[in-house]
Amino acid sequence: DGVAIYDLSVASEPQRIGSLEPVDALEVTLSADDKTLYVSGNAYGLLIYDVQDPTNPSHLGTFNTSHTARATNLSFDEKFAYVADGQSGLYIIDVSNPRTPRLAGRLAEPMYGLTLSADGRYAYADDNRPLRVIDVGDESNSFSTSVATSNIHIAPSSGPTDETLSNQTDGENKKRAKKETISKDDQNKETNKK
């Protein structure tokens, strides 16, 4: 139980430098600036910690949800935490002041896991039922919910994906980079001739 904090500056030799105990953490989310840790604290709700000094984390605030906080995602601007709280549903919590988190919205449908879209407009509910897509774009109490009732197919993107690029050899990547450099040099020569 608890949350362990490791220094990974030497990836082959992780060093434990701090911890949060006793915390019954089901999931943790770190702010983009690495200063604030949001913990899905099971029956304790959303727990917020200052981890600017990872050797000595300090508790900032708590928002008690009514069931079991299982997953937490942050909005792009990190002003809102989206908490999947089991049987009691989705909580949208205003965490702009982490010392006094407050309820901004709630959807009272069971939710055990969730992922936010990159633009923060949609929450995808993961709870062993058909996929639910929830429009949470305005963080209000009015939600629009869609349910996928058949198999879901994700169309390929128009460009190469990270997976495609990682499956190519270093030689292929170097050849492409060299071709792109030569093309740009040729374009510059043509521009200079005019």
Side-chain angles (χ1 to χ4, degrees):
D1 287 359
V3 175
I5 301 172
Y6 286 85
D7 178 349
L8 300 175
S9 56
V10 179
S12 61
E13 298 176 22
Q15 300 290 317
R16 185 176 175 152
I17 58 172
S19 65
L20 305 173
E21 295 178 16
V23 173
D24 188 9
L26 295 179
E27 184 176 285
V28 297
T29 301
L30 187 62
S31 63
D33 64 5
D34 296 338
K35 294 179 181 180
T36 310
L37 186 68
Y38 300 85
V39 178
S40 301
N42 205 345
Y44 299 101
L46 176 67
L47 306 167
I48 307 170
Y49 291 88
D50 178 339
V51 291
Q52 290 183 73
D53 175 1
T55 63
N56 187 27
S58 61
H59 181 257
L60 292 174
T62 299
F63 184 89
N64 292 313
T65 57
S66 59
H67 196 259
T68 305
R70 295 177 169 270
T72 300
N73 282 246
L74 294 175
S75 62
F76 183 73
D77 61 6
E78 298 188 352
K79 292 181 180 178
F80 296 92
Y82 296 80
V83 179
D85 195 53
Q87 288 297 317
S88 66
L90 172 65
Y91 281 84
I92 300 177
I93 302 165
D94 181 340
V95 293
S96 55
N97 180 349
R99 293 189 185 281
T100 57
R102 61 181 182 78
L103 183 65
R106 182 165 176 246
L107 177 63
E109 293 179 17
M111 192 170 303
Y112 294 90
L114 103 127
T115 300
L116 285 181
S117 61
D119 64 3
R121 172 145 187 170
Y122 300 100
Y124 304 98
D126 172 16
D127 51 12
N128 298 321
R129 299 188 306 171
L131 175 70
R132 287 181 296 152
V133 181
I134 304 148
D135 184 347
V136 294
D138 66 358
E139 292 91 14
S140 72
N141 285 312
S142 58
F143 297 102
S144 169
T145 303
S146 304
V147 177
T149 56
S150 60
N151 292 334
I152 296 170
H153 173 73
I154 299 175
S157 68
S158 58
T161 63
D162 290 342
E163 181 179 339
T164 304
L165 295 175
S166 69
N167 287 334
Q168 294 175 347
T169 65
D170 283 340
E172 290 171 323
N173 290 331
K174 287 177 185 173
K175 284 179 193 174
R176 182 180 323 120
K178 187 174 183 179
K179 280 183 184 177
E180 289 173 3
T181 302
I182 291 169
S183 297
K184 288 179 183 175
D185 288 343
D186 290 343
Q187 289 174 353
N188 289 337
K189 287 178 188 174
E190 288 297 317
T191 304
N192 290 336
K193 285 181 184 178
K194 295 178 183 179

